[in-house]
Amino acid sequence: MKKICALALGLATVFAAGAQNDAKSLFNEGKQAEDAFNKNITSAITTGQMAPEHAYSLVTAYDFYIKALPLDSLPDAKGKVKPAVSKKIATSFTNHVKQSSFTNAAIFLYQAGEQYPKAYRAFMIAGDLPRNPLTGKDGQAVHDTIRANDYYNAGLCAYAAKAYAESAEAFRKSRLADPRNVDNFVYEIASYQNLDFGGDEKLKEETIHAAAEEAYRIHGASNIFIFNTYVNRYFNNDDIETANRILTEALQKDPANGNVYLLFGLLKNKEEKYAEAADCFRKAGELSNVYNTLLDACRQLNLLGKVQLNAINYDAADAAAQKEAVKKDYFQKALEIANKAKALPDANGQVNSIIDDINYSLETYFQ
């Protein structure tokens, strides 16, 4: 047993000594790469151009340094920890944080068409490094909005390359650093929607909903994409009570939000409260200036108008008055909303089809 222990101790000593040497070797490799960046950065800032291999050499240096750091903290042959390169790496990291070197490297890489993965990596390091303990007070001095912008740019690089796992992580970090930027949430959710969760649809739904819920908590119902994504879960699961509560709360905070009225109308349709639904669609058409909201409002009001028209008892004494009310409150109102939608710069052919259908009803049933 003693021989085995002695052998194990001997191997540990050899490993520790080798690790120390590896830390120095890795540092030297990193330093060589870092020098390639440092020798070119001054002229690059002046000219606005840097060769992509020189820009990315800073990322290469960072990778070597990160590998060297844990090895530099291992005990030597005498069981003592004598870091040889950690202080130099800390100085390097701090200097690059102060000089925004990784952001600059990322910009040069982006301009050279190396958006992903190279510019992405540089932007991500630019966001991460200021909160590395090695950068101390200089790192803490970098405001979170600066870091958020680096993460955001990283996310755009990855999203354009359809690297959705990477873009989701970048936008998640960006919104944690600066939750006031609603676009962080939009792109994070969009990344999750495009991401393959390995067939785990429940995990995907939960992840999307959690991000949308956090976005709603901060931004309310102001962003249609986020709010619709948040409420969509309750619609799909027929959770009428929760959907009603959220929509009511949203209108209390933002009573002029046409999109919330549209969603309320769709919810009332689910509840088969068609008169209330129609009121909501008319209100959505009155308040909104968003093409898709107006398009859905006039479409739904047109459909409800047909239902109301078919429900009239033509033997009743007030049948003519009922018919005139349907014409005014449903078809003519739907046409008014549709024309409002058509006047918007992003209008497309869908609204023309709805206008044709409304006009057909008006010409056929109300002459």
Side-chain angles (χ1 to χ4, degrees):
M1 181 64 73
K2 289 182 179 179
K3 290 182 178 179
I4 294 175
C5 289
L7 177 60
L9 180 60
L11 289 173
T13 300
V14 170
F15 174 76
Q20 290 288 325
N21 290 331
D22 285 343
K24 292 178 182 178
S25 298
L26 289 166
F27 173 79
N28 289 334
E29 292 284 348
K31 186 65 170 63
Q32 183 177 351
E34 183 182 12
D35 287 344
F37 176 85
N38 288 339
K39 288 176 182 178
N40 289 276
I41 185 59
T42 302
S43 61
I45 290 176
T46 301
T47 63
Q49 294 181 335
M50 177 184 271
E53 60 269 22
H54 294 149
Y56 197 69
S57 65
L58 186 61
V59 176
T60 301
Y62 174 86
D63 288 339
F64 276 119
Y65 290 160
I66 288 297
K67 290 177 182 177
L69 282 168
L71 298 177
D72 199 40
S73 299
L74 293 174
D76 60 17
K78 296 181 180 180
K80 295 183 179 181
V81 176
K82 294 181 179 179
V85 298
S86 295
K87 188 174 181 179
K88 295 177 182 178
I89 293 174
T91 299
S92 170
F93 284 173
T94 301
N95 286 337
H96 288 304
V97 164
K98 290 163 67 175
Q99 296 162 11
S100 302
S101 298
F102 282 96
T103 302
N104 288 328
I107 292 171
F108 290 130
L109 288 164
Y110 185 92
Q111 291 173 340
E114 300 282 356
Q115 289 91 347
Y116 183 85
K118 292 184 176 180
Y120 166 83
R121 288 259 4 252
F123 276 127
M124 289 296 284
I125 296 169
D128 288 340
L129 197 56
R131 295 300 177 263
N132 187 311
L134 292 177
T135 63
K137 63 180 181 180
D138 291 299
Q140 291 298 319
V142 177
H143 199 276
D144 279 339
T145 55
I146 302 298
R147 297 174 55 243
N149 192 59
D150 284 320
Y151 289 134
Y152 182 79
N153 286 328
L156 292 178
C157 290
Y159 193 86
K162 299 183 179 180
Y164 297 119
E166 289 80 1
S167 65
E169 177 62 8
F171 289 121
R172 185 188 70 84
K173 286 189 170 186
S174 185
R175 58 102 161 167
L176 288 174
D178 183 16
R180 297 171 301 173
N181 182 0
V182 70
D183 286 344
N184 288 325
F185 289 99
V186 171
Y187 275 109
E188 181 186 358
I189 292 168
S191 296
Y192 292 140
Q193 289 177 338
N194 285 291
L195 183 59
D196 181 5
F197 279 71
D200 192 338
E201 292 303 313
K202 184 177 181 180
L203 175 60
K204 183 172 185 173
E205 179 186 345
E206 292 290 340
T207 303
I208 291 171
H209 182 73
E213 184 174 33
E214 178 66 9
Y216 172 65
R217 185 184 68 80
I218 297 170
H219 295 283
S222 60
N223 185 278
I224 291 176
F225 171 73
I226 286 174
F227 187 67
N228 289 6
T229 301
Y230 175 50
V231 177
N232 188 54
R233 179 182 186 179
Y234 304 109
F235 272 71
N236 290 342
N237 294 334
D238 290 324
D239 189 347
I240 303 297
E241 182 179 353
T242 302
N244 259 311
R245 176 180 58 78
I246 294 170
L247 292 175
T248 300
E249 176 186 86
L251 277 184
Q252 288 173 346
K253 295 178 179 178
D254 187 5
N257 192 316
N259 179 62
V260 177
Y261 274 104
L262 175 67
L263 294 177
F264 239 138
L266 295 173
L267 186 64
K268 295 305 175 185
N269 265 350
K270 272 182 168 286
E271 297 180 270
E272 299 182 358
K273 298 177 180 179
Y274 300 119
E276 292 181 39
D279 284 339
C280 291
F281 294 136
R282 285 189 283 267
K283 196 69 174 178
E286 174 188 333
L287 293 173
S288 180
N289 287 304
V290 177
Y291 176 70
N292 285 330
T293 300
L294 295 173
L295 188 70
D296 285 341
C298 68
R299 178 188 289 118
Q300 293 297 328
L301 202 55
N302 180 41
L303 292 173
L304 287 176
K306 293 178 181 181
V307 173
Q308 292 297 315
L309 187 63
N310 290 332
I312 294 174
N313 179 3
Y314 287 93
D315 293 329
D318 64 342
Q322 291 184 50
K323 187 175 180 181
E324 186 62 26
V326 170
K327 175 184 177 182
K328 176 184 175 183
D329 295 338
Y330 288 85
F331 291 102
Q332 288 183 339
K333 192 63 180 180
L335 184 60
E336 178 186 323
I337 297 169
N339 282 325
K340 182 179 179 181
K342 185 177 180 178
L344 293 175
D346 56 339
N348 57 38
Q350 292 183 72
V351 71
N352 292 328
S353 298
I354 295 173
I355 289 173
D356 289 343
D357 189 60
I358 295 170
N359 282 328
Y360 176 82
S361 295
L362 288 169
E363 293 167 4
T364 304
Y365 304 116
F366 296 97
Q367 295 301 325

